[in-house]
Each structure stands twice: as C-alpha cells, then as structure tokens.
Amino acid sequence: MELSDLTQKRREHIQSCRDNNDNSHEIIAGLYSDPSHFIYELLQNADDAGASEIMFRLTSQALSIIHNGKKPFDFDDVDSITTVGSSTKKDDVNSIGTFGAGFKSVFAITKMPSIHSGDYHFQIVDLIIPEAIQPKNTEKQRTEIILPFNHPDISSDNAYKQIFNRLKSLESESLLFLHNIKEIQWETESDSGHYLSEIKDNRASLISQVNGEDSLIEFFLTTKNIEVDSVKLNIVVAYRLDSDGKIIPVHDSKLFVFFPTNERTGLQFLVHAPYKTTPSRESIPFVDNQNQTITAALSDLVAESIMDLKNSNLLSVDVLSMLPIDSENNHPLYSSTFHKVKATLETELLLPTSNGDYSSASNTILARERELTNLLGNADCTQLFNRELWLSTHITYDKTRELRDYLTAELDIPEITFQKFCSEITEGFIKTKPDKWIVEFYSCITKNKALYRLGSSHQNKGILRQRPIIRLEDDSHVCPENSSGELQVYLPPKGQSKFTTVKRGLAEAAEAYEFLTSLGLEVPNNIAEIKEFIIPKYQGSSIELGEYRDDFKRVLDLWLEADEYRRREISDLLRETQFIRCENQKAGIEYQSANDVYFKTEKLTAWFNNNTQNGIYFLESTVDLSEDGRKFFESLGVRYDLKMPGTKDVRVNDFGKHERSVNGFNPAFNIHGLEFSLSDMTFDRSVLLWSLLLKNANKLKGYIETRTNQNHPYNKGEEKISKAMQCLGKYSWLYDRNQEKISLPVDKITIDDLSDKYQREEDNIERLV
C-alpha cells in the first residue's frame, strides 16, 4: 500500500466517524494530566528506534525534535503512528510504547505535527490522516519531528512555557533505564542544556547542564534480565550516591517504567521494570498476572542488591534504614519487597556488626548501651545469650528507632540491656575475667544506679546486689550483700586485715573505687568489727565464759572509745542480738537480747522469787557491772523495771475500723509475772504492785471509742477492764494496817483500811479501791 492509499483510507475513516458522531480517536490525545508529558513519549519512540542522541529545539512557534535512530520510518511505522489501538511494538514487551497511543499525546499542543524520517515526509491531520509534504533536507539516518504551536485550546506562549519548564527540569533518571539514548540536548533562542549518562559496570553518572552550569548525580545499579512469558526483560534497582560515594535516600520516589510513573512506591531508592501500564502510563495495574510476576522478580532483585552493596563496601546502618522495613506500608511493590528483604536478612550475612563484619539476623544481638559491646566478646555473647555477634553500635534507640524496632520485632533479634546482662552473671562467668575487665565493668555501671540501688517501697533492689560481682583478695567472688540484705564486704584498709575485702588492686583503680563507694562499701571500722566477728557468734551457739568476757571487754572498749553517735550505732546493732549473758530462774546460763533481761535489783528479785516460768532473765553475776558496764547495759535496754505490755494508747485507723483510747486506757495492759505474784503474794510484792498500779491506774479499766467511718462520731460503748485488772480480780492481795490480807471485795475497802506502807495518792487510790 502506498502512502496516498493510506491517506485516502484515513480520510474515509474520519468522515465515517463524523457521520456517526464518533470522536473516540480524539480521546487518546488527552490521556495525560500534563500536556508536556509527550516529551517522554517522543523519547520513547527515539529509544525504540535505536537512537543514542536526541535534540529538542524550541522556538516561540514550534518544537523540533531530531534524533539519530538507526531505524528510520517505514510504511508500517506511518500506519501505526496514525492509528489508534495499533502499534508495531505491541508484541515487544521490551519496547516502551506498547499501546500505539504514545505519539498521540503531541496533539495536546499541536494540530498538525510533521515527520521527516527515511523515505517518508508527511504531516498528520485530524490525528490519524498522514499527508505527504515537501521533503526537508534531513540526513538519511536522522528523524525529525516538528510540532507547530497551532492548537486552538492552548496558546503558543503557554505551549512554549510548559515545554521549556519540562525540558530544563527533565527527570534525567530515565537515562538509567532507556535502552539506547545516552544524551538529550535542548535549546531555545536564549537557553540551552543537555542531559548525559555514563554507565560503567554498576556505577552510573548523570550530568545535567543548563546554560553551562553542570550538576552531577551518581547511582549504584543492580540490574538483572528476567524472563516473563518467554520474553527477556531488564529490571533495575538504583541507589543514589552523594559526593562522598555514600548511599543517600531518594524521597518520594516514583516507580519507573523506563520513564517515571505516578506510582509512589514508598521505597527510598529507584526501581525500574517494564510493567504493563494504564494507557496514560501513569499508574500500574499490579493485579495483572504478568505484572505480578514482574513484582516478584523486582522484589528479589532488591533483596539481591543488598549483597551487591555489601560487596562494594556500601552497606551501612544508614542504608539498612533505607530498606523497606515498614510492615504497615501496603503498596503492592513495597509489601512484596518488604517480605523478600526480611527473608534475606534472616539468613544472609548482611547485617553490619560492631567488629566491622557482617552477620545474619539469627546470629546477632543488639546492645541497648554501647559499652556492652566493649565488655562482651563473641565467646561471652555465645555463653550468655547463645548468639555470637553484636550488631553495629550505630543502631541506636535514639537515632535509628525505626530500624531498631524492625530488627527486634520483625527479625527477632534480642536487645540486650545492662539489666539483662547483669541478670545472667554467674561466678563461673566472672571468675574467668582479668582484673582489667572487672575495672572496666565497674566503670560502665557506675552511672547506672538502678542496677545496684538499695530499693524501697516503690523501687526494686538493684540486681547487682545479689550477683557475685565483687572480687576478693584470693580471687574468689561474693555478692555485695548477704541473704539478709546487709553488705558483706569492705574496702581494704591499710596493712593486713582479717575482714572480707575487695581485692586491693581493684579498689585502688579510680574507676572501680567510684563504683564500690557508690555501692556503699567502706573501710572497716569499729562497727564492722562487731558486726563481722562478734555478732555472728551469738546466733544461738554456746559461748564459753572466757570467750564471752573477751568479747564483752572488746565491745565495751569500742563503745567507750566511740563518740555519742557511734555509741548509739553500736547499741542499736547489739540491742536485738542475744549478746547478754544471763541466768534464768532455774540457775541456768543463757544468752538473750537486752530487752528480755533485768538488772538484779532487790525489788525485782522479790517480785520474781520462786517464779520458774520461762522468759525471766537476770544479768549473770560474773558480768561486768562496773559503772561503765552498767551504762553500757542501760544503753542496750537491760531493764530496771518490769515489762508491761499495753502501756501505749490504742490508735487504729483502718478502712471501716477506727478505735482510740479514752484517758489512756488499753485493754492489753498487763505486768510481767503478775499472775504468779498474785498467787504467791507477799507484803513486799503487794507494795511494789500497788506502786505500779497507782502509776497506771488509767489503764486498768476504761473505754475504747469506736466508729466505722471517719465522718461519723465516736461511740464510747461499755466500760472494759484490762488483762491486768482481770487478773487482779481473782486474788486477795492488799494488806491492812496489821499486814494481814484484806479479803473483802475491793469496792468495800476504804483508804483507812490500807497499811501505811501503801503510797497515799488520794485520787488514784480512790480509783483503785
């Protein structure tokens, strides 16, 4: 068929469309949201024609495009470019223009484009009618397309501005993915520029020049040929490089199908694949079977590219952060790539470690504190955590939060804190470490006080207080505290010491000393001597008199030497210790705490005479009762007076229960040995008892006020009597003036009936009798 025949055929088709009100052939010209998008379509045509260079010449009246395509137009190309829904490239998936519609986009700015290529010189009328025109002096191997600005809906000024803006800001990254074009030039009457690509191995340089000013963008490429439906396709992953050759993120990146589409992938690098696109080529139907195959292959390539980055010394923590690690991004390509990358990082040696090497997720751990990576080597990590290597210390909670969360949540990499490490410390582990390591360990944890704090009602005790972290002089190890929660080790004093002390060489290191003192360790003092060498002997063991005398003399000497504060400290320390040598009522020798022991006074001896019940102890006759000794026993709490429980007021303030004494009454009031003394009453006992009762008359009988709510008034209730009063009511124990027991009921006795030996406190006596 000749060109004239094709022209006639198209005219007849146009007339038929008009007769039938069919304007479908015009719709294709408005597919693109940006009228200047046709420049990419012309680049596509030139690339498919094998052109390596293309020139755009822009004037106020027209745009001329010239390229050196190896394949000039033939009849089939003329036929294809002047029809709709047909293309000479529709069976070639590697070609960019597969819809036969790309060239129609020029009709957004022109009514009558003309083409000079090979033996064909024609203009296109009414979108599809090729009409022969006068040949132009064009080299045989060049194709020229002329687009006059004669569209009725867009002025020549507007067309010029849109094309000029497009040319000077062309997304030169397309040169990374085109088959043939390496250079794009453009010029106007006053401006010029060009885009030039140079690709060597896996490095690409893109130079953009506008009016003589150059800018350079560099990329690292990973490419691969895949086969889809028996057709080989080229796919590419491109990482942008900065001026230092390090990878930097590409923000708001678009998916390239040779040219940028409007698909925002969420990836921080560029990817290209020959997807099937919508007719406008601005979006991708990812549900298409062929496209699904391409998506899987492109995801694989992204995962494979990580190994290329590693082999080229480009894989860093920053690069890991640029990978698809957001599990919530549901874009089809991003989601597919997320899972492929995750599977690769789980098994391949791609995660940067603290020693400058790489490992897989299954063999690594993450340090919350950088110091851990210096303390614990590979063998330590394996022993403690069953994983060998620390990840790079550049992965931190503060600076790379998203990556850190991805590693722990998606790749199941444990994050080790000092708390976790300290919980794993055993004596078997720490005893293998040299002193230098111990000092470094102490230095690292000094400021982390939560690890060794004392603890309180709202804070747990620091874990290190119960870990064998203290190295002693003999290189053994103990915990800072014993099972009772008391410090059990000291700082070494000058000279020799019989105390359990930290190894001197460690304590002399400034870093270690700071920790040990923060822990509360001190050089042993007098208190320490009592605590370490005397008190432990008095825990129920039998102590010979000679040894006791030596211990007592040493304690008394230390007490006498101490200032008032230290004396109280010594007394407090011994008060609850069974350190007092005493006699029970059966003449047996025992050791009791001071609060249970009495001085052997005449009154107390008379009160407890013949009472052989348990719990009655007097200082043993051989103990030192010099003036100093007596003062010392008094400071411990040895008693001159009878123990009387229930002498304090009742005060209860609990939920639903509130109680308080009236005038000091306490139902629990009692007197030690009262029952026995009443049953074997003597006149002297009666006088002593009378004296005690007079002093505590208000506690014998009275009232306890109660209420159930703090907003209610107290209720006095019925009068109660104390335990002592209950006991008194069982016996006759008062004596008359003839020192004979008075057996009348108490309420029948008058003051005149009583012996003169009883104290005359009128008010109290009246309350008692």
Side-chain angles (χ1 to χ4, degrees), residues 665-667 669-671 674 678 693 697 699-702 720-731 733 746 767-769:
F665 171 68
N666 190 330
F669 174 72
N670 207 349
I671 300 172
L674 177 61
L678 288 172
L693 294 177
K699 295 179 175 58
L700 295 176
K701 56 185 176 179
K720 301 178 182 295
I721 60 174
S722 66
K723 289 184 178 180
M725 193 65 183
Q726 294 176 28
C727 193
L728 290 170
K730 299 178 184 178
Y731 300 93
W733 54 276
V746 173
R767 290 184 61 189
L768 290 176
V769 295

Side-chain angles (χ1 to χ4, degrees), residues 75-89:
F75 180 83
D76 288 339
D77 292 323
V78 177
D79 184 22
S80 174
I81 207 171
T82 57
T83 190
V84 178
S86 175
S87 173
T88 58
K89 299 172 287 186

Side-chain angles (χ1 to χ4, degrees), residues 616-681:
I616 303 171
Y617 306 102
F618 287 101
L619 279 174
E620 199 257 336
S621 58
T622 61
V623 300
D624 182 355
L625 279 180
S626 63
E627 182 179 354
D628 290 337
R630 185 176 295 277
K631 288 180 179 179
F632 173 65
F633 282 125
E634 289 173 356
S635 75
L636 295 185
V638 176
R639 312 181 68 90
Y640 285 103
D641 55 344
L642 287 169
K643 289 191 290 184
M644 292 186 290
T647 56
K648 295 182 178 179
D649 284 7
V650 174
R651 284 289 183 270
V652 177
N653 285 294
D654 290 334
F655 182 76
K657 183 179 181 181
H658 301 268
E659 297 181 351
R660 67 182 184 185
S661 297
V662 175
N663 194 29
F665 171 68
N666 190 330
F669 174 72
N670 207 349
I671 300 172
H672 188 198
L674 177 61
E675 182 88 27
F676 177 84
S677 293
L678 288 172
S679 66
D680 188 20
M681 185 54 65

Side-chain angles (χ1 to χ4, degrees), residues 312-537:
S312 299
N313 296 319
L314 291 172
L315 184 57
S316 65
V317 170
D318 289 339
V319 173
L320 283 179
S321 297
M322 297 176 208
L323 295 178
I325 58 177
D326 181 4
S327 62
E328 296 183 0
N329 189 322
N330 295 320
H331 186 281
L333 177 57
Y334 189 101
S335 180
S336 175
T337 308
F338 171 88
H339 292 292
K340 294 293 179 66
V341 167
K342 177 181 175 181
T344 300
L345 295 179
E346 286 175 336
T347 56
E348 300 296 328
L349 307 181
L350 294 172
L351 297 178
T353 61
S354 62
N355 62 6
D357 208 344
Y358 295 87
S359 184
S360 63
S362 59
N363 195 35
T364 55
I365 49 179
L366 185 61
R368 183 65 178 268
E369 296 92 355
R370 180 189 295 264
E371 293 83 358
L372 283 170
T373 63
N374 298 324
L375 278 177
L376 304 177
N378 295 356
D380 297 326
C381 293
T382 301
Q383 178 183 349
L384 296 174
F385 313 118
N386 202 30
R387 293 188 177 213
E388 185 178 7
L389 297 168
W390 290 110
L391 286 177
S392 169
T393 55
H394 294 294
I395 303 172
T396 67
Y397 183 83
D398 296 326
K399 295 182 179 180
T400 57
R401 175 76 61 87
E402 187 176 0
L403 175 60
R404 171 244 178 214
D405 292 347
Y406 170 79
L407 294 172
T408 56
E410 296 294 337
L411 297 185
D412 294 325
I413 296 177
E415 183 179 46
I416 307 301
T417 62
F418 259 115
Q419 182 78 18
K420 170 65 175 173
F421 160 52
C422 290
S423 70
E424 300 293 334
I425 291 178
T426 63
E427 185 174 2
F429 168 79
I430 203 168
K431 72 180 181 181
T432 64
K433 298 300 180 184
D435 289 354
K436 182 179 179 182
W437 187 95
I438 299 292
V439 171
E440 184 178 3
F441 171 60
Y442 290 168
S443 177
C444 288
I445 61 179
T446 299
K447 295 180 180 179
N448 196 341
K449 297 187 183 301
L451 294 172
Y452 57 90
R453 65 191 173 202
L454 285 171
S456 63
S457 59
H458 61 279
Q459 286 183 326
N460 293 328
K461 180 179 292 188
I463 193 171
L464 287 178
R465 289 188 169 267
Q466 294 298 325
R467 288 293 181 274
I469 62 169
I470 304 299
R471 178 166 289 177
L472 306 180
E473 200 62 56
D474 63 357
D475 286 329
S476 63
H477 291 82
V478 297
C479 302
E481 292 183 351
N482 58 27
S483 58
S484 299
E486 299 173 330
L487 290 171
Q488 61 178 352
V489 65
Y490 297 89
L491 296 176
K494 294 180 180 180
Q496 297 297 317
S497 173
K498 57 183 179 179
F499 288 92
T500 301
T501 62
V502 179
K503 190 173 183 179
R504 189 177 299 275
L506 296 179
E508 290 175 348
E511 305 95 320
Y513 182 81
E514 182 180 359
F515 166 69
L516 294 170
T517 54
S518 296
L519 191 61
L521 303 191
E522 298 177 341
V523 174
N525 54 22
N526 294 344
I527 302 296
E529 182 178 346
I530 296 173
K531 183 188 295 185
E532 294 296 324
F533 303 117
I534 294 179
I535 288 179
K537 294 193 294 185

Side-chain angles (χ1 to χ4, degrees), residues 171-208:
E171 294 183 85
S172 59
E173 291 86 352
S174 297
L175 290 173
L176 298 173
F177 313 123
L178 294 173
H179 298 308
N180 302 299
I181 294 179
K182 302 303 177 187
E183 184 172 9
I184 302 171
Q185 299 184 61
W186 62 271
E187 63 182 22
T188 70
E189 295 174 354
S190 59
D191 300 285
S192 65
H194 74 257
Y195 302 95
L196 179 67
S197 71
E198 181 180 344
I199 300 176
K200 185 176 181 180
D201 297 328
N202 55 6
R203 300 282 177 140
S205 299
L206 299 178
I207 299 175
S208 300

Side-chain angles (χ1 to χ4, degrees), residues 32-44:
Y32 299 97
S33 57
D34 181 0
S36 65
H37 187 89
F38 73 87
I39 290 174
Y40 287 122
E41 301 299 335
L42 298 182
L43 285 169
Q44 162 248 298

Side-chain angles (χ1 to χ4, degrees), residues 225-294:
N225 288 320
I226 62 172
E227 191 171 293
V228 178
D229 296 338
S230 301
V231 178
K232 289 187 176 180
L233 306 175
N234 186 53
I235 58 177
V236 183
V237 177
Y239 296 93
R240 184 169 177 178
L241 303 172
D242 65 8
S243 58
D244 295 324
K246 296 181 179 179
I247 293 176
I248 57 176
V250 177
H251 300 292
D252 197 29
S253 64
K254 299 176 182 178
L255 172 61
F256 278 73
V257 182
F258 296 100
F259 300 105
T261 67
N262 282 340
E263 284 287 344
R264 262 63 175 185
T265 62
L267 300 172
Q268 297 191 57
F269 45 86
L270 302 181
V271 289
H272 154 73
Y275 278 101
K276 288 181 180 179
T277 68
T278 57
S280 68
R281 283 192 247 163
E282 293 183 342
S283 60
I284 314 295
F286 286 99
V287 295
D288 177 85
N289 289 336
Q290 180 175 296
N291 283 346
Q292 288 181 358
T293 301
I294 294 175

